[in-house]
Amino acid sequence: MMTARQIREVRQQLNDYVEEFAGEFGRSERRHWCGKYLEGLLREGERKSIEPLAKKVGGDDQALQQFVNQSPWDHDAVMFRLRSLMRRRATEGVLVLDDTSLPKQGRHSVGVARQYCGALGKIANCQSIVTWQWVGAKVHWPLAARLYLPTAWTEDPVRMARAGVPPDRQVFKEKWRIALDLLDEIKPQLPAYQALVFDAGYGVILPLLAELEKRGEPYLAQVPGNIAAWPMEAVATLAQAARGRPARHAKVQDPQVQPLTMTAWRDRLLQEPSEWKEVKLPRADGACVRAVALRVQASQREGRWRQPGTTRWLLIEQLGDGTFKYHLSNLPADTSLEELVRLAHQRWAIEQNYQQLKEELGLDHFEGRSWRGLHHHLTLCFLAFCFLTRLRTSKKTLLAA
């Protein structure tokens, strides 16, 4: 968040920044109101909805309303341009998949439904936004975002039409499928990344892990304690019947070899304390975590039988408060424990991103109801975030003045 004085000092840089998107916004009045909206998001103040924002920047609130809610500029094209600009600053990094919730009252704002709201920690009326973000050694920023539409919306064509949901978005898709669609869109623009990283909300979705493996995408996924994995010694074979039909599904022949849940693996490994190591976390405070990693096989279902599948890493961490976290990964067999832990903790950077986007830049302050308006607002918040990132990483920054 910036003071009025800081805004005055960097206004030319902000104007130059908006001009970098001239091809996407088109007409000069759109670029003018884009600059005004970004200035309002960057200014100090508790509310970043359009009316108080317009008062703060001395703008016409009706013109700002039209720019955000009705103007036909393409938010996907603006995000494409933003990724192209920010890629120049990217160093080695990871892609982080997550979703963020925007609490809402009423039922008319696009995508609002009673669902789990992470911002409130309970089931509540909210919108849920699927996002990908880049987390690198020096910079991190949002890459893409799309609203999730629950079935209460996709089964109501009249409601979707009123909210301006595009025809190609009116079919229900799970969040993980939206995430894959977004990944397909952004991947051609991205530098090489080390892994896709996500929390247990996505790690529990085994079809997502299978699809990423099919695509050859490296990932590290936090998973809940009830997910199971087979020991490496488990071998499934087709049993040859002496008579009758030949077997169609492989079975693990040794009944003593069974898949274990993450918590069962933890309990087994706690009996071997020498296997655990203290690993320093990628944090300035020098904090450590106690961790162990081993190779396991995925537990997959074939017909009526569970059997071992793809070989994965199982990473177990014991945090300072005594709780445990579990992760599965398809990273190469020579990946070190230290590298697995480092990648697992890259995800936490986006919590800081969300905090800044909401508390400072008004991500959750939008009061419009339409698909277009919401995605325009998300895009403008991302532009403001990346402008601040550029200022902070530039030698010419005046933020510290």
Side-chain angles (χ1 to χ4, degrees):
M1 196 183 304
M2 300 172 66
T3 65
R5 180 180 65 83
Q6 288 173 323
I7 285 286
R8 288 194 298 271
E9 291 172 339
V10 302
R11 183 168 280 133
Q12 186 57 53
Q13 294 181 57
L14 180 59
N15 291 339
D16 292 343
Y17 178 66
V18 172
E19 286 302 311
E20 294 184 70
F21 297 88
E24 287 70 37
F25 285 114
R27 297 163 60 177
S28 60
E29 60 263 32
R30 289 182 196 156
R31 303 200 298 277
H32 169 77
W33 291 116
C34 174
K36 286 291 186 183
Y37 199 84
L38 293 183
E39 180 180 337
L41 295 177
L42 292 165
R43 283 276 195 100
E44 290 181 317
E46 292 186 3
R47 286 302 298 173
K48 302 295 176 75
S49 53
I50 289 178
E51 187 174 346
L53 185 151
K55 289 180 179 178
K56 199 167 299 181
V57 299
D60 182 335
D61 61 339
Q62 290 187 342
L64 279 174
Q65 288 274 11
Q66 197 279 333
F67 168 71
V68 176
N69 288 305
Q70 286 87 41
S71 184
W73 55 274
D74 184 350
H75 65 269
D76 286 329
V78 174
M79 287 302 301
F80 185 95
R81 175 66 172 158
L82 181 63
R83 290 190 293 270
S84 297
L85 294 173
M86 294 301 292
R87 174 178 175 166
R88 303 169 189 173
R89 297 170 180 266
T91 54
E92 188 176 72
V94 300
L95 303 187
V96 180
L97 168 63
D98 204 352
D99 51 71
T100 190
S101 54
L102 312 179
K104 285 284 184 178
Q105 299 298 320
R107 62 183 299 274
H108 298 293
S109 294
V110 63
V112 166
R114 284 191 62 78
Q115 54 193 321
Y116 180 75
C117 179
L120 301 177
K122 62 181 182 180
I123 301 295
N125 257 25
C126 68
Q127 296 163 311
S128 184
I129 314 295
V130 179
T131 71
W132 284 102
Q133 301 195 44
W134 178 272
V135 175
K138 296 182 179 179
V139 294
H140 36 90
W141 74 90
L143 292 166
R146 184 171 298 161
L147 175 67
Y148 162 72
L149 290 177
T151 54
W153 277 81
T154 56
E155 292 175 356
D156 191 341
V158 174
R159 198 180 185 195
M160 288 190 292
R162 287 174 180 163
V165 178
D168 61 339
R169 301 285 184 247
Q170 293 188 10
V171 178
F172 174 75
K173 279 194 174 183
E174 299 93 336
K175 292 179 184 179
W176 68 273
R177 295 188 188 275
I178 294 174
L180 290 177
D181 289 346
L182 289 174
L183 180 61
D184 288 338
E185 292 178 15
I186 67 178
K187 185 172 179 177
Q189 288 186 272
L190 301 178
Y193 46 86
Q194 296 170 282
L196 313 178
V197 182
F198 40 93
D199 67 12
Y202 287 94
V204 72
I205 304 171
L206 300 185
L208 172 59
L209 304 189
E211 180 62 26
L212 293 176
E213 287 164 355
K214 179 181 176 182
R215 296 174 176 217
E217 292 285 359
Y219 68 80
L220 192 147
Q222 185 182 339
V223 296
N226 60 356
I227 293 290
W230 288 86
M232 288 300 292
E233 59 265 27
V235 178
T237 58
L238 284 171
Q240 300 301 317
R243 63 179 68 182
R245 294 181 181 179
R248 295 175 56 193
H249 304 293
K251 290 177 58 179
V252 174
Q253 299 303 307
D254 185 351
Q256 300 300 313
V257 180
Q258 294 291 325
L260 301 174
T261 64
M262 300 293 102
T263 53
W265 277 111
R266 174 203 67 195
D267 293 343
R268 173 184 285 192
L269 291 164
L270 284 173
Q271 298 174 24
E272 304 175 22
S274 62
E275 298 293 322
W276 296 73
K277 289 179 62 178
E278 291 286 330
V279 180
K280 186 176 180 180
L281 297 177
R283 289 169 24 181
D285 62 5
C288 292
V289 66
R290 187 166 174 251
V292 63
L294 70 156
R295 302 290 275 169
V296 297
Q297 298 181 84
S299 181
Q300 62 186 27
R301 187 170 292 279
E302 185 73 20
R304 294 185 298 114
W305 309 106
R306 282 188 304 171
Q307 57 183 257
T310 308
T311 300
R312 296 170 174 162
W313 277 109
L314 165 57
L315 168 67
I316 304 177
E317 298 177 300
Q318 185 176 22
L319 307 182
D321 61 3
T323 59
F324 291 86
K325 298 289 186 182
Y326 312 97
H327 309 265
L328 290 174
S329 175
N330 64 342
L331 288 166
D334 60 355
T335 306
S336 68
L337 174 64
E338 290 76 12
E339 181 68 356
L340 291 170
V341 170
R342 186 186 71 82
L343 292 174
H345 286 263
Q346 293 291 84
R347 184 175 65 82
W348 295 106
I350 68 165
E351 298 302 327
Q352 299 173 349
N353 289 10
Y354 283 143
Q355 184 177 8
Q356 183 177 7
L357 282 162
K358 291 181 178 182
E359 295 181 3
E360 297 182 20
L361 300 175
L363 184 74
D364 55 353
H365 294 181
F366 182 65
E367 296 177 349
R369 295 178 173 179
S370 71
W371 174 279
R372 174 182 287 175
L374 175 64
H375 287 84
H376 278 181
H377 174 71
L378 295 174
T379 299
L380 292 163
C381 288
F382 293 168
L383 288 181
F385 183 95
C386 291
F387 178 71
L388 285 177
T389 298
R390 286 172 56 156
L391 283 181
R392 288 169 179 152
T393 57
S394 170
K395 294 180 181 178
K396 298 178 182 180
T397 183
L398 299 172
L399 285 179

